[in-house]
Amino acid sequence: MGNYDETLKDIEATMGSVPGYMKALTEDVLMQEWPLMKKYVFGESIIPAKYREMIGLAVAANTRCPYCTMFHTGAAQLNGATDEEIQEIYFLASFTGRWSSMLFAQQYDMEKFAEEFHAVGAHLSK
Amino acid sequence: MGNYDETLKDIEATMGSVPGYMKALTEDVLMQEWPLMKKYVFGESIIPAKYREMIGLAVAANTRCPYCTMFHTGAAQLNGATDEEIQEIYFLASFTGRWSSMLFAQQYDMEKFAEEFHAVGAHLSK
Amino acid sequence: MGNYDETLKDIEATMGSVPGYMKALTEDVLMQEWPLMKKYVFGESIIPAKYREMIGLAVAANTRCPYCTMFHTGAAQLNGATDEEIQEIYFLASFTGRWSSMLFAQQYDMEKFAEEFHAVGAHLSK
Amino acid sequence: MGNYDETLKDIEATMGSVPGYMKALTEDVLMQEWPLMKKYVFGESIIPAKYREMIGLAVAANTRCPYCTMFHTGAAQLNGATDEEIQEIYFLASFTGRWSSMLFAQQYDMEKFAEEFHAVGAHLSK
Amino acid sequence: MGNYDETLKDIEATMGSVPGYMKALTEDVLMQEWPLMKKYVFGESIIPAKYREMIGLAVAANTRCPYCTMFHTGAAQLNGATDEEIQEIYFLASFTGRWSSMLFAQQYDMEKFAEEFHAVGAHLSK
Amino acid sequence: MGNYDETLKDIEATMGSVPGYMKALTEDVLMQEWPLMKKYVFGESIIPAKYREMIGLAVAANTRCPYCTMFHTGAAQLNGATDEEIQEIYFLASFTGRWSSMLFAQQYDMEKFAEEFHAVGAHLSK
């Protein structure tokens, strides 16, 4: 693992200060988590930052996490997400869970689901 | 607490035998849980058995629990739930969660929600 | 899809006004969601309104959604749910999840669960 | 609402056949859900299809839904998601939930969180 | 089941008074739940009280339950949990869920997972 | 961040081989996650390994994750957890969630909950 003081300095340089919920973590946990947050919140990866944050918002709406909905909405906007894009997330956040509930309620056979799913793929590839 | 052997006998008399997942619990836990299961699965309470089981199915579909969807679907049918009623649960199981996700994604103000909700109540009571 | 303005008018006629969390949705989403809410909250289906709302309350207590517990409790009461019925939901809301956790903690064999479950059904049908 | 037979024909034209889990729904539910699925799975919206499906995969991984992880992974690939993009989702799917758990475990003060979050925004906008 | 008045007296003797959320439950539910709470919160079992409460805190952080994070943090501290132990829970609360999300996102084959897991066990036992 | 090849070698030395679900992650994610897994699964921290794994099992039972229940049960046993300790987890895994559901179903006032909770603390400290 790295150096805790360097981690704190890097957070401060990136975020302006070290939030209390980061200081509250053990040193080893923060040292391991920070590089991932630095890259996947403040840096670049294959998926553009705007979409990463919209993914985060949709997940947050499903885990019913008020910290996370605030964080990802704000970060999405800082990365250029428009009101129209955020508005689409309102629905997309509910889309997977609604079908999941409708499928579990049916105790739908997994193999039948897979077969039907692959048949759709084959149909679309024609 | 009661007597463990009496609990086992009562389960056997009610269910035909004691399922492995009940035998696996500590004695005190089974003694406390069984009377609630006896009443709320096999007995009578204010809410009719059929609706109790349909409630269970909707919850199970949200907690993504295959044991529970099997149990509550079967128990609902034993208590007279029709295919049409079960079919409505497919949707109802998804209804609360979809709006929950759409509200959390909006970080919707709780006080505004409460105000609007009470206004609907007042409107309906006119 | 239908007409957005007609949807807004229909919501207003039914609920007294259009809540902010509905206006915040995209037009197509609201047009598709509203007829389901109109029927399954304000209208009639096979499952009586009172039980539909108690199902919603039990689900809401499991998804830990404060908007939804407020909504479904109030709507259940508007549809005639008594304090005693609501009180039973406090328990029923916890019933499925507690056994789900106890079964998952045991990594209980799904096939054994199914066998035992069907044996109970056979026992009860004697 | 629309016409059920037209809905079935439209599904068949789009997907090749009507999956069993759609036929199992009540007519009104399928008529309302299908136009949203048609647009947000098979059609165009503001968020590109590839990202919509990656959002779905991240949500599915959090709701622990095997139907949904299969569906959204396959649909993401059909829409051009590369292995590298999917691989990033493995992490992003875990990113929001891990911080959510670390914040809830701390009972972190929501107002302090909001203040610190807005300070980061101000810092980044300098 | 036992006697409701005795249950209330026992709660009062143990906790000082009967919290409103206990009074709100049906008599039979409280009579069955209380002995389990008495033993597993205020009494002794095989797992030491301090660890039972830290388990509760980790679960509470995953179910995003503010009542429960307050309860289990306070109860852990009353039973001697140090700040350093609680701090470790911040991470441990996030540990299981993060890998769960990364595995579900991969649709990882359960049998392959089991094989690999048992191989690790064999390696460690050498 | 560290060196990916060293990470792979360290995993191999510790676990015997690198599981497929680890190889599937991006290099940066595995490099950051592995030191935490090495310490909190295979190494020492303030909380003894046996209890860390029982915490993991209780969380896994709540997130309904079959990978995780297998992993944490096996790891708990490798670290000396007895059948009786694991058996207690069956109940403890269900304990937090059941009260969470009963409290959310009551829309229990958070401030009243906090007051009552602190009164219990004061009572116990007499």
Side-chain angles (χ1 to χ4, degrees):
Chain A
M1 302 190 196
N3 178 297
Y4 185 60
D5 284 335
E6 279 172 30
T7 298
L8 293 179
K9 272 179 205 155
D10 196 27
I11 296 172
E12 216 174 292
T14 310
M15 299 179 72
S17 66
V18 185
Y21 55 86
M22 288 190 178
K23 279 185 217 151
L25 300 176
T26 60
E27 298 193 1
D28 56 359
V29 168
L30 188 61
M31 284 189 287
Q32 296 311 107
E33 293 295 346
W34 169 247
L36 294 173
M37 180 174 274
K38 189 181 181 184
K39 175 171 177 183
Y40 291 99
V41 173
F42 299 100
E44 286 188 23
S45 70
I46 300 172
I47 300 173
K50 181 177 79 172
Y51 293 115
R52 286 191 317 237
E53 295 302 332
M54 293 199 283
I55 288 167
L57 176 54
V59 171
N62 279 277
T63 52
R64 325 290 182 217
C65 177
Y67 308 108
C68 316
T69 50
M70 175 182 285
F71 189 95
H72 291 299
T73 303
Q77 289 168 332
L78 280 172
N79 283 293
T82 63
D83 289 354
E84 286 71 25
E85 286 170 318
I86 298 286
Q87 193 183 26
E88 261 194 40
I89 297 294
Y90 300 163
F91 166 69
L92 291 175
S94 81
F95 192 34
T96 300
R98 72 173 64 187
W99 283 96
S100 180
S101 295
M102 293 195 291
L103 283 156
F104 269 89
Q106 294 178 38
Q107 305 180 258
Y108 203 72
D109 184 65
M110 190 66 213
E111 287 186 31
K112 193 176 172 204
F113 183 86
E115 262 174 51
E116 290 175 329
F117 180 68
H118 293 124
V120 176
H123 175 79
L124 292 173
S125 308
K126 269 182 208 166
Chain B
M1 302 190 195
N3 178 297
Y4 185 60
D5 284 335
E6 279 172 30
T7 297
L8 293 179
K9 272 179 205 157
D10 196 26
I11 296 172
E12 215 175 294
T14 308
M15 299 179 71
S17 65
V18 185
Y21 56 86
M22 288 191 178
K23 278 185 218 151
L25 300 176
T26 61
E27 297 193 3
D28 57 358
V29 168
L30 188 61
M31 283 189 286
Q32 296 310 108
E33 292 295 348
W34 169 246
L36 294 173
M37 180 173 273
K38 190 181 181 185
K39 177 171 175 182
Y40 291 99
V41 173
F42 300 100
E44 286 187 23
S45 71
I46 298 172
I47 299 173
K50 182 177 78 173
Y51 293 115
R52 284 191 317 236
E53 295 303 333
M54 292 199 284
I55 288 167
L57 176 54
V59 171
N62 278 277
T63 51
R64 326 287 182 220
C65 176
Y67 308 108
C68 315
T69 50
M70 175 181 284
F71 188 96
H72 291 299
T73 303
Q77 289 168 332
L78 281 172
N79 283 292
T82 63
D83 289 354
E84 286 72 23
E85 286 171 317
I86 298 285
Q87 193 183 27
E88 262 194 39
I89 297 295
Y90 300 163
F91 166 69
L92 291 174
S94 81
F95 191 34
T96 300
R98 71 172 64 185
W99 282 96
S100 180
S101 295
M102 293 195 290
L103 283 156
F104 269 89
Q106 294 179 39
Q107 305 179 262
Y108 203 71
D109 184 65
M110 189 67 212
E111 286 186 31
K112 194 177 173 205
F113 182 86
E115 262 174 50
E116 290 176 328
F117 180 68
H118 293 123
V120 176
H123 175 78
L124 292 174
S125 307
K126 268 182 208 167
Chain C
M1 301 192 197
N3 178 296
Y4 185 60
D5 284 335
E6 280 172 29
T7 297
L8 293 179
K9 271 180 204 154
D10 196 26
I11 296 172
E12 215 174 293
T14 310
M15 299 179 71
S17 66
V18 185
Y21 56 86
M22 289 191 178
K23 278 184 219 152
L25 300 176
T26 61
E27 297 193 2
D28 57 359
V29 168
L30 188 61
M31 284 189 287
Q32 297 310 108
E33 293 294 347
W34 169 246
L36 294 173
M37 180 174 274
K38 189 181 181 186
K39 176 171 177 183
Y40 292 99
V41 173
F42 300 100
E44 286 188 23
S45 71
I46 300 172
I47 299 174
K50 181 177 79 173
Y51 293 115
R52 285 190 318 235
E53 295 303 332
M54 293 199 282
I55 288 166
L57 176 54
V59 170
N62 278 277
T63 51
R64 326 287 182 218
C65 176
Y67 307 108
C68 317
T69 50
M70 174 181 285
F71 189 95
H72 291 298
T73 302
Q77 289 168 334
L78 280 172
N79 283 293
T82 63
D83 289 354
E84 286 72 25
E85 286 171 318
I86 299 286
Q87 194 183 26
E88 263 194 39
I89 297 295
Y90 300 163
F91 166 70
L92 290 174
S94 81
F95 192 34
T96 299
R98 71 174 64 187
W99 282 96
S100 180
S101 295
M102 294 194 291
L103 283 156
F104 269 89
Q106 294 179 38
Q107 305 180 258
Y108 203 73
D109 185 66
M110 190 64 212
E111 288 187 29
K112 193 176 172 205
F113 182 86
E115 262 175 50
E116 290 176 328
F117 181 68
H118 293 124
V120 176
H123 175 78
L124 291 173
S125 307
K126 270 182 206 164
Chain D
M1 302 191 199
N3 178 298
Y4 185 59
D5 285 335
E6 279 172 30
T7 297
L8 294 179
K9 271 180 204 154
D10 196 26
I11 296 172
E12 216 174 292
T14 310
M15 299 180 70
S17 66
V18 185
Y21 57 87
M22 288 190 177
K23 279 185 217 151
L25 300 176
T26 61
E27 298 193 2
D28 57 358
V29 168
L30 188 61
M31 284 189 287
Q32 297 310 108
E33 293 294 348
W34 169 247
L36 294 173
M37 180 174 273
K38 189 181 182 185
K39 177 171 175 182
Y40 291 100
V41 173
F42 301 101
E44 286 188 24
S45 70
I46 300 173
I47 300 173
K50 181 176 80 172
Y51 293 115
R52 284 190 319 235
E53 295 303 332
M54 292 198 283
I55 288 167
L57 176 54
V59 170
N62 278 278
T63 53
R64 326 289 182 217
C65 176
Y67 308 109
C68 316
T69 49
M70 174 181 285
F71 189 96
H72 291 298
T73 303
Q77 289 168 333
L78 281 172
N79 283 292
T82 63
D83 289 354
E84 286 71 26
E85 286 171 318
I86 298 285
Q87 193 183 27
E88 262 194 39
I89 297 295
Y90 300 163
F91 166 69
L92 290 174
S94 82
F95 192 33
T96 300
R98 71 174 63 186
W99 282 96
S100 180
S101 295
M102 293 194 290
L103 283 156
F104 269 89
Q106 294 179 38
Q107 305 180 260
Y108 203 73
D109 185 66
M110 190 65 211
E111 288 186 30
K112 195 177 172 203
F113 182 86
E115 264 174 49
E116 290 175 329
F117 181 68
H118 293 123
V120 176
H123 174 78
L124 293 173
S125 308
K126 271 182 207 167
Chain E
M1 303 192 196
N3 178 297
Y4 185 59
D5 285 334
E6 279 172 30
T7 297
L8 294 179
K9 271 179 205 156
D10 196 27
I11 296 172
E12 216 174 292
T14 309
M15 299 179 73
S17 66
V18 184
Y21 56 86
M22 288 189 179
K23 278 184 218 151
L25 301 176
T26 61
E27 297 194 1
D28 57 358
V29 168
L30 187 61
M31 284 188 286
Q32 296 310 108
E33 291 296 346
W34 169 246
L36 294 172
M37 180 174 274
K38 189 181 181 184
K39 176 171 175 180
Y40 292 99
V41 173
F42 300 101
E44 287 187 22
S45 70
I46 299 172
I47 299 173
K50 182 176 79 174
Y51 292 115
R52 286 190 318 235
E53 295 303 331
M54 292 198 283
I55 288 166
L57 176 54
V59 171
N62 278 278
T63 52
R64 327 285 181 220
C65 176
Y67 308 109
C68 316
T69 49
M70 175 182 285
F71 189 95
H72 291 298
T73 303
Q77 289 168 332
L78 280 171
N79 283 292
T82 63
D83 289 355
E84 285 72 25
E85 286 170 318
I86 298 285
Q87 194 184 25
E88 262 193 40
I89 297 295
Y90 300 162
F91 166 69
L92 290 175
S94 81
F95 192 35
T96 300
R98 72 173 64 186
W99 282 96
S100 180
S101 296
M102 293 193 291
L103 283 156
F104 269 90
Q106 294 178 38
Q107 305 179 258
Y108 203 73
D109 184 66
M110 189 65 212
E111 287 187 29
K112 193 176 172 206
F113 182 86
E115 261 175 50
E116 290 176 328
F117 180 68
H118 292 124
V120 176
H123 174 78
L124 292 173
S125 307
K126 269 183 207 166
Chain F
M1 302 192 196
N3 178 297
Y4 185 60
D5 284 335
E6 279 173 30
T7 297
L8 293 179
K9 272 179 205 156
D10 196 27
I11 296 173
E12 215 174 293
T14 309
M15 300 179 71
S17 66
V18 185
Y21 56 86
M22 288 190 178
K23 278 184 219 152
L25 300 176
T26 60
E27 298 194 1
D28 57 358
V29 168
L30 188 61
M31 283 189 286
Q32 296 311 108
E33 292 295 347
W34 169 246
L36 293 173
M37 181 174 273
K38 188 180 181 186
K39 176 172 175 180
Y40 292 99
V41 172
F42 300 101
E44 287 188 23
S45 71
I46 299 173
I47 299 174
K50 182 176 78 173
Y51 292 115
R52 286 190 317 235
E53 295 302 333
M54 293 198 283
I55 287 166
L57 176 54
V59 170
N62 277 278
T63 51
R64 325 290 181 217
C65 176
Y67 307 109
C68 316
T69 50
M70 174 181 285
F71 189 95
H72 291 299
T73 303
Q77 289 169 332
L78 280 172
N79 283 291
T82 64
D83 289 354
E84 285 72 24
E85 286 171 318
I86 298 286
Q87 194 183 26
E88 262 193 39
I89 296 294
Y90 299 163
F91 166 68
L92 290 175
S94 81
F95 192 34
T96 299
R98 71 173 65 184
W99 282 96
S100 180
S101 295
M102 294 195 289
L103 283 156
F104 269 89
Q106 294 179 38
Q107 305 180 259
Y108 203 72
D109 184 66
M110 190 65 212
E111 287 187 30
K112 195 177 171 202
F113 182 85
E115 262 175 50
E116 290 176 328
F117 180 67
H118 293 123
V120 176
H123 175 77
L124 292 173
S125 308
K126 271 184 206 165

